[in-house]
Amino acid sequence: MHVLALLLTLVLLLKEAQAWGFKNGIFHNSIWLEQAAGVYHRESRKGKYQLTYKEAKAVCKYEGGNLATYEQLEAARQIGFHVCAAGWFDRGRVGYPIVKAGANCGFGKVGIIDYGYRLNKSEKWDAYCYNPTSKECGGIQTEQQKIIQSPGFPEEYQDEQICYWHIRVRLGQRIHLHFLEFDVENDTSCLADYLEVYDSYDDVSGFAGRFCGEDLPDDIISTGNVMTLKFLSDASVTAGGFQLQYVAFDASLDPQNQTHNFTAAPLH
Ligand SMILES: *[C@@H]1O[C@H](CO)[C@@H](O)[C@H](O)[C@H]1NC(C)=O
Ligand SMILES: *[C@@H]1O[C@H](CO)[C@@H](O)[C@H](O)[C@H]1NC(C)=O
Ligand SMILES: *[C@@H]1O[C@H](CO)[C@@H](O)[C@H](O)[C@H]1NC(C)=O
Ligand SMILES: *[C@@H]1O[C@H](CO)[C@@H](O)[C@H](O)[C@H]1NC(C)=O
């Protein structure tokens, strides 16, 4: 019996391992919107491969950065930046950084998969931006507990923001999200501005909720050790923003029986 269970676990682990890996002792999937050495990947609000060269430049500029150079992208790749999506970088070059060889991405190669300088700048790809000082909007959170705030909080957030926060705590832990303050432009289906929560390390699977308005959302508890928050604001009307706190806890504990001390950060 035990041997069978062990075998089953092993098979499941091996299956998982194709998309997931350990980094800094933390089990995670690095294939989505990672940020390393000031380099990060951006896609259009409309989805994958929707940015012309000019638009890609504008996306990075808007966030106070520039399109990354090949050298910056390679430096980020050296420390583990791996994204399976081609994007513009400096001077109209297109490619993507591959750390771990895979059959489905990068033609089994490791390195910058380089599509070269594109003659047709109207082609549509994603973007690789470089901005070592952009820390305010999103990022990777590995602390055991942390307060996450909308950009500029407690000031109103700005228009046209897209922020991704990836929370990943230790393997064997879960994440308890608790909202402290919430004020996001309200409309019926939260189409204009919203905060989305995903019970996964990307914004594709594990959708847990989309929130707007002024009601404080209920607590959310992850099933695993990763979570993704996505905040998006459109081109008009802003509001006070949000503040929430997460706390990591041992997955063997009953989540319904967790009493964490959630405390709002002092307003300044
Ligand atoms: C350039 O790319 C765009 C978008 O893919 C395409 O519509 C257009 O026909 C291309 N132009 C040329 C000259 O190939
Ligand atoms: C948000 O909008 C919905 C639908 O328009 C409305 O029913 C609700 O009362 C609004 N909530 C707040 C807090 O304004
Ligand atoms: C919940 O916590 C209390 C106090 O620590 C403990 O007595 C109780 O057994 C726990 N219940 C469950 C279901 O773990
Ligand atoms: C919560 O705060 C109280 C009072 O500050 C402290 O005694 C307690 O140990 C804290 N509990 C946790 C789980 O941090």
Side-chain angles (χ1 to χ4, degrees):
M1 283 295 270
H2 277 114
V3 176
L4 208 71
L6 204 72
L7 270 177
L8 197 69
T9 312
L10 216 78
V11 168
L12 286 176
L13 274 177
L14 282 175
K15 260 190 133 161
E16 283 266 88
Q18 287 163 10
W20 294 71
F22 278 97
K23 185 176 170 189
N24 302 330
I26 294 159
F27 196 51
H28 76 288
N29 181 342
S30 64
I31 301 176
W32 203 263
L33 296 153
E34 280 266 17
Q35 187 174 352
V39 175
Y40 54 94
H41 166 256
R42 278 280 182 267
E43 63 178 32
S44 159
R45 302 155 68 90
K46 288 177 268 170
K48 198 173 182 182
Y49 296 164
Q50 298 288 335
L51 300 170
T52 64
Y53 177 55
K54 203 172 150 198
E55 288 163 347
K57 267 211 294 211
V59 164
C60 299
K61 271 258 152 56
Y62 186 82
E63 296 174 351
N66 288 299
L67 283 171
T69 63
Y70 183 95
E71 289 71 26
Q72 286 161 348
L73 196 61
E74 172 57 15
R77 196 194 66 80
Q78 302 264 345
I79 58 168
F81 186 60
H82 173 115
V83 182
C84 189
W88 292 103
F89 35 107
D90 192 37
R91 296 193 291 143
R93 205 163 174 174
V94 167
Y96 54 98
I98 292 298
V99 173
K100 195 159 171 281
N104 299 328
C105 188
F107 314 101
K109 280 186 244 160
V110 163
I112 304 292
I113 307 299
D114 191 358
Y115 292 2
Y117 295 96
R118 312 306 295 173
L119 292 175
N120 183 352
K121 301 283 194 288
S122 304
E123 287 177 1
K124 292 182 175 182
W125 304 100
D126 293 347
Y128 285 100
C129 306
Y130 177 72
N131 183 3
T133 58
S134 88
K135 289 230 161 24
E136 236 202 323
C137 175
I140 297 166
Q141 322 294 326
T142 56
E143 291 92 340
Q144 286 290 291
Q145 58 175 317
K146 187 157 185 180
I147 289 174
I148 291 175
Q149 299 173 328
S150 50
F153 190 90
E155 305 292 319
E156 292 200 348
Y157 59 82
Q158 292 173 347
D159 291 331
E160 303 273 8
Q161 299 271 329
I162 314 177
C163 314
Y164 287 87
W165 290 268
H166 298 282
I167 305 172
R168 60 177 198 244
V169 296
R170 293 188 205 117
L171 191 61
Q173 289 189 320
R174 294 170 73 177
I175 299 156
H176 186 159
L177 274 195
H178 175 76
F179 290 85
L180 300 165
E181 286 178 56
F182 200 82
D183 177 14
V184 170
E185 182 192 349
N186 185 30
D187 69 79
T188 324
S189 314
C190 299
L191 293 174
D193 298 356
Y194 59 80
L195 176 73
E196 280 181 344
V197 178
Y198 292 84
D199 185 20
S200 76
Y201 200 61
D202 57 41
D203 63 347
V204 179
S205 57
F207 178 75
R210 174 187 278 208
F211 307 103
C212 67
E214 288 172 29
D215 294 338
L216 214 54
D218 290 337
D219 287 15
I220 299 173
I221 295 177
S222 70
T223 55
N225 66 323
V226 294
M227 241 182 178
T228 298
L229 309 181
K230 174 182 180 178
F231 173 64
L232 188 144
S233 66
D234 72 0
S236 68
V237 188
T238 66
F242 63 85
Q243 177 169 228
L244 59 89
Q245 188 176 14
Y246 78 82
V247 173
F249 68 96
D250 192 331
S252 65
L253 299 175
D254 177 0
Q256 300 309 325
N257 205 9
Q258 294 298 303
T259 47
H260 303 295
N261 286 334
F262 293 108
T263 43
L267 301 181
H268 33 249

